[in-house]
Amino acid sequence: MTGQTHLKIDFVSDVVCPWCAIGLKSLEQALQRLNGEIVADLHFQPFELNPQMGPEGENVAEHLAHKYGSTPEQRAKNQEGIRQRGASLGFVFDMDKRSRIYNTFDAHRLLHWAELEGKQPALKLALLEAYFSKGENVSSHDVLARVAGDVGLDVAEARKVLTENRYADEVRQQEQFFQSQGIRAVPSVIINGKYLVQGGQPPEVFEQTLRQVAAEG
């Protein structure tokens, strides 16, 4: 057996982006298939779909109509397609529970802290599930602290991170860095700093790309 290949993966995404949930589950499946061959050093990087959005959020239907000009029929069709893709990957989208879209800056600050605590992947998935599977407000400090506790992080410390506005500068710097690299849409998955996979690709696409990068390694 040959040695394992270590790859650095930057997963640039937002926690209110359905295709980011699909892309993450696809990447996870690809990495499971490559278990023993590839070891991933996975980092979740911040991207805000709606950086100007106020703390109260916005109705999802109104937001999508304003942003994309989509009709109710188009939204229903798109949501059913997303639900089916999620189900095929083991992720539950309950779109009926998701009535509003929220500002996610605080969620990204909490994810930055979670990386320092070694719990970032668990928190990322838990926040996607809180929003898409349960329809929860992922800008709420109460929700964020509770979800942090659910994945084994210290709830009191999570609250301090949120109320004291910790890691705001670090998150802004990371957002600006990836935008300066031309990242305008998410998910954007960057392997070893130079190979890019964009969108909610199926596991096969991630697996093929990871194999190619490892072979060049």
Side-chain angles (χ1 to χ4, degrees):
M1 178 177 159
T2 57
Q4 295 176 321
T5 303
H6 288 255
L7 299 178
K8 180 174 185 260
I9 300 177
D10 288 302
F11 194 99
V12 187
S13 61
D14 201 354
V15 297
V16 293
C17 157
W19 294 105
C20 295
I22 287 169
L24 176 56
K25 296 302 287 186
S26 289
L27 176 62
E28 284 181 351
Q29 285 198 11
L31 289 170
Q32 284 168 4
R33 295 176 189 179
L34 295 165
N35 188 26
E37 299 174 54
I38 286 173
V39 177
D41 179 19
L42 182 58
H43 302 268
F44 291 96
Q45 305 291 2
F47 187 99
E48 290 177 83
L49 288 172
N50 307 289
Q52 309 307 322
M53 185 165 286
E56 72 287 349
E58 188 179 356
N59 176 276
V60 165
E62 293 174 8
H63 175 77
L64 293 174
H66 291 159
K67 194 167 186 178
Y68 303 110
S70 54
T71 65
E73 294 77 17
Q74 287 170 327
R75 287 197 300 276
K77 183 180 178 184
N78 289 343
Q79 288 183 351
E80 178 57 20
I82 288 168
R83 189 195 66 76
Q84 290 180 7
R85 282 288 303 279
S88 73
L89 294 162
F91 187 90
V92 176
F93 285 100
D94 190 338
M95 296 300 196
D96 292 337
K97 290 182 179 174
R98 184 184 71 133
S99 60
R100 300 186 75 74
I101 194 158
Y102 299 103
N103 182 292
T104 54
F105 187 68
D106 286 349
H108 288 299
R109 289 195 298 110
L110 200 66
L111 282 161
H112 185 94
W113 169 65
E115 179 166 40
L116 303 176
E117 299 291 316
K119 296 275 188 185
Q120 196 188 39
L123 182 62
K124 179 70 173 187
L125 183 58
L127 288 173
L128 288 165
E129 288 174 340
Y131 183 63
F132 286 110
S133 307
K134 302 169 189 170
E136 294 190 289
N137 177 358
V138 289
S139 68
S140 158
H141 287 189
D142 288 340
V143 170
L144 291 170
R146 193 202 72 237
V147 174
D150 289 345
V151 301
L153 286 159
D154 185 295
V155 175
E157 193 63 20
R159 284 193 176 280
K160 285 184 183 177
V161 168
L162 294 165
T163 56
E164 295 172 8
N165 205 33
R166 291 187 205 167
Y167 308 117
D169 291 344
E170 289 87 342
V171 170
R172 292 260 184 255
Q173 286 168 7
Q174 286 174 303
E175 287 179 333
Q176 289 164 6
F177 171 76
F178 286 101
Q179 287 171 16
S180 76
Q181 299 299 299
I183 301 301
R184 299 282 180 270
V186 287
S188 288
V189 184
I190 304 161
I191 305 163
N192 279 2
K194 57 181 180 176
Y195 300 89
L196 176 66
V197 180
Q198 284 193 301
Q201 301 292 344
E204 294 75 20
V205 171
F206 283 110
E207 183 181 1
Q208 181 183 11
T209 305
L210 291 166
R211 283 189 191 281
Q212 287 175 342
V213 177
E216 291 175 18

